[in-house]
Amino acid sequence: MKIVTISREFGSGGRELGKRLAQQLGFAYCDREIVAAVARKSELSEEYAARAGEQAPGFPLTFRRTLSLPAGQQPGMKVLLAQREVLKELAARGEDCVIVGRGADVVLAEYRPLNLFVYAAPEAKLRRCRERAPEGEQLAGRELSRRIRQVDAGRAQYYRLISGRTWGQKEHYHLCVNTTGLNLKSVAPWAAGFVQSWFREEGSL
Amino acid sequence: MKIVTISREFGSGGRELGKRLAQQLGFAYCDREIVAAVARKSELSEEYAARAGEQAPGFPLTFRRTLSLPAGQQPGMKVLLAQREVLKELAARGEDCVIVGRGADVVLAEYRPLNLFVYAAPEAKLRRCRERAPEGEQLAGRELSRRIRQVDAGRAQYYRLISGRTWGQKEHYHLCVNTTGLNLKSVAPWAAGFVQSWFREEGSL
């Protein structure tokens, strides 16, 4: 079984790359179904599961308020534990897949996944977020920059919590792709080629 | 004109990847000819030019001894200045090329090169160096590890000297490739595909 994990900076296009990659490779693409399963398991809303599943519990403030509760009742922690189970169940299915975010590179390390990190220059992320924001939900430039930094800080803290390592350090990934100025559609085929050639080598070790 | 620069950790296979990439793309591969031209220009030996062209002057000790000389006579500095000229002349030829090392990404920034960084896990670099060492020049494991760290520290210092930035930080590169366990031969074609698709986008901007 082949697992590709994609860690990505907010606004870098990592999710789009993941989708296109899965399409090219004929792999399952796992994203919202993880959130839905985590929400069911932890008996919390999907919206909460989506946010808490990539943020260290206690971060940001909305979670911090609940930290005085015992760990088992602390909703952020419930989500993280449920998510770990969901990811393990997903891998146990044995299906080739691309998983975006959620620290799947760490949780599923025993399956020797291929780990990508997707990033971009601040201006490029800002532009991408602006283009993709739903009508009426446009944030002003400054506010949007702050939001991008905040989301990534949460992801970094979550990653440190589950791995003890620094998020985005190239040493932890097999390939790091800077999407600044890149057309993800035209880049997906070569990325798929890399994935295939990498798994061929892994298989022959 | 398209320029691809390859920065690489010692022992990561960056040079081999550069050669294969140039072959795949039909680009010129520039490496020893730069050293030869720098040696001629600075009236120093090729061996010295090769070493000093990727090490900050004053590093390691052999260069440091000469630091009390005026900058114009300081051989390490002479090499760096000659190398800058050689790289600029090379770019002025207008030929598509792959340049390995020598801070070409910084010196030729105005040409908007595509910048790759090639790295690997310490064990992988050690193995590669061991396999490639000429008969009779095998270093013991510990000594070899120290040598790898020393060369990379020199490159990092050289990079900081000419750019003021941190060497190997993914933000400065378009693609970072971890070669641990990779077969460079099978990986070169997809890397070439990335390069081509990147230049297509750049051209259309």
Side-chain angles (χ1 to χ4, degrees):
Chain A
M1 177 195 31
K2 306 179 182 82
I3 299 179
V4 179
T5 74
I6 298 195
S7 309
R8 78 293 183 214
E9 290 179 358
F10 187 61
S12 68
R15 170 175 294 185
E16 186 189 330
L17 184 60
K19 270 187 205 166
R20 292 188 178 279
L21 210 48
Q23 226 167 25
Q24 286 278 336
L25 293 162
F27 284 20
Y29 172 75
C30 305
D31 187 354
R32 295 306 300 188
E33 64 162 301
I34 298 176
V35 174
V38 169
R40 272 196 309 276
K41 226 183 242 286
S42 58
E43 301 176 325
L44 291 158
S45 75
E46 283 198 25
E47 196 215 329
Y48 188 87
R51 262 192 306 147
E54 296 197 288
Q55 307 274 330
F59 184 90
L61 281 172
T62 42
F63 300 152
R64 206 168 287 155
R65 263 184 295 152
T66 67
L67 271 184
S68 52
L69 296 173
Q73 292 166 41
Q74 205 271 319
M77 196 56 87
K78 263 167 121 174
V79 166
L80 291 195
L81 295 173
Q83 185 164 271
R84 176 176 290 267
E85 278 177 42
V86 168
L87 287 172
K88 296 266 188 195
E89 286 165 11
L90 195 144
R93 275 195 232 155
E95 207 182 349
D96 295 340
C97 60
V98 175
I99 307 177
V100 173
R102 296 176 172 82
D105 52 329
V106 175
V107 176
L108 302 179
E110 66 191 290
Y111 292 92
R112 303 180 59 108
L114 169 63
N115 304 318
L116 306 190
F117 192 88
V118 181
Y119 62 108
E123 327 77 79
K125 295 191 284 185
L126 209 57
R127 194 165 48 236
R128 193 178 174 85
C129 285
R130 220 179 257 134
E131 283 166 10
R132 313 235 144 191
E135 199 73 41
E137 288 185 31
Q138 301 279 357
L139 293 175
R142 239 203 193 153
E143 210 178 336
L144 187 55
S145 291
R146 194 167 43 227
R147 167 120 180 85
I148 292 173
R149 281 200 305 275
Q150 199 182 42
V151 171
D152 282 347
R155 288 178 183 172
Q157 212 167 328
Y158 167 65
Y159 186 81
R160 180 169 294 284
L161 177 83
I162 63 170
S163 71
R165 303 187 307 204
T166 301
W167 187 67
Q169 249 184 4
K170 66 181 185 308
E171 287 69 21
H172 308 319
Y173 308 93
H174 298 99
L175 189 71
C176 304
V177 184
N178 186 340
T179 59
T180 310
L182 263 193
N183 179 331
L184 296 180
K185 195 173 163 185
S186 64
V187 141
W190 72 257
F194 174 82
V195 171
Q196 275 159 337
S197 114
W198 189 85
F199 279 113
R200 247 194 317 271
E201 293 308 313
E202 275 294 293
S204 70
L205 285 180
Chain B
M1 179 196 27
K2 305 179 183 84
I3 299 179
V4 179
T5 75
I6 299 195
S7 309
R8 77 292 182 219
E9 289 180 357
F10 188 60
S12 68
R15 170 174 294 182
E16 186 189 331
L17 184 60
K19 271 186 205 165
R20 293 189 179 278
L21 209 48
Q23 225 167 25
Q24 287 276 336
L25 293 162
F27 284 19
Y29 172 74
C30 304
D31 187 353
R32 296 306 300 188
E33 63 161 305
I34 298 175
V35 173
V38 169
R40 272 197 309 278
K41 226 184 242 287
S42 59
E43 300 175 326
L44 291 157
S45 74
E46 283 199 25
E47 197 216 329
Y48 188 88
R51 261 193 308 148
E54 297 198 289
Q55 306 276 329
F59 184 88
L61 281 174
T62 42
F63 301 152
R64 207 169 286 153
R65 264 185 293 151
T66 68
L67 270 185
S68 52
L69 295 173
Q73 292 166 37
Q74 206 269 318
M77 196 57 86
K78 264 166 120 175
V79 166
L80 291 196
L81 295 173
Q83 183 165 273
R84 178 176 288 267
E85 279 178 41
V86 168
L87 288 172
K88 296 268 188 193
E89 286 164 13
L90 195 145
R93 275 196 231 156
E95 208 182 351
D96 294 341
C97 60
V98 175
I99 307 177
V100 173
R102 295 175 171 82
D105 52 327
V106 175
V107 176
L108 302 179
E110 65 191 290
Y111 292 92
R112 303 181 58 109
L114 168 63
N115 304 317
L116 306 191
F117 191 88
V118 181
Y119 62 108
E123 328 75 79
K125 295 191 284 185
L126 209 58
R127 194 164 47 234
R128 192 178 175 85
C129 285
R130 219 178 259 134
E131 283 166 9
R132 313 236 143 191
E135 198 72 40
E137 289 185 30
Q138 301 279 356
L139 294 175
R142 240 206 193 148
E143 211 179 335
L144 187 54
S145 291
R146 194 168 44 226
R147 167 118 181 86
I148 292 173
R149 280 200 306 274
Q150 200 182 39
V151 171
D152 282 348
R155 288 178 183 173
Q157 212 167 328
Y158 167 66
Y159 186 82
R160 180 170 294 286
L161 178 82
I162 63 169
S163 71
R165 304 187 306 204
T166 301
W167 186 67
Q169 248 184 5
K170 66 181 186 306
E171 286 70 20
H172 307 318
Y173 308 94
H174 298 99
L175 189 71
C176 303
V177 184
N178 187 341
T179 58
T180 309
L182 263 194
N183 179 332
L184 295 180
K185 195 173 162 186
S186 64
V187 140
W190 70 258
F194 174 83
V195 171
Q196 276 160 336
S197 111
W198 190 84
F199 279 114
R200 247 194 316 272
E201 293 309 313
E202 274 294 292
S204 70
L205 284 180

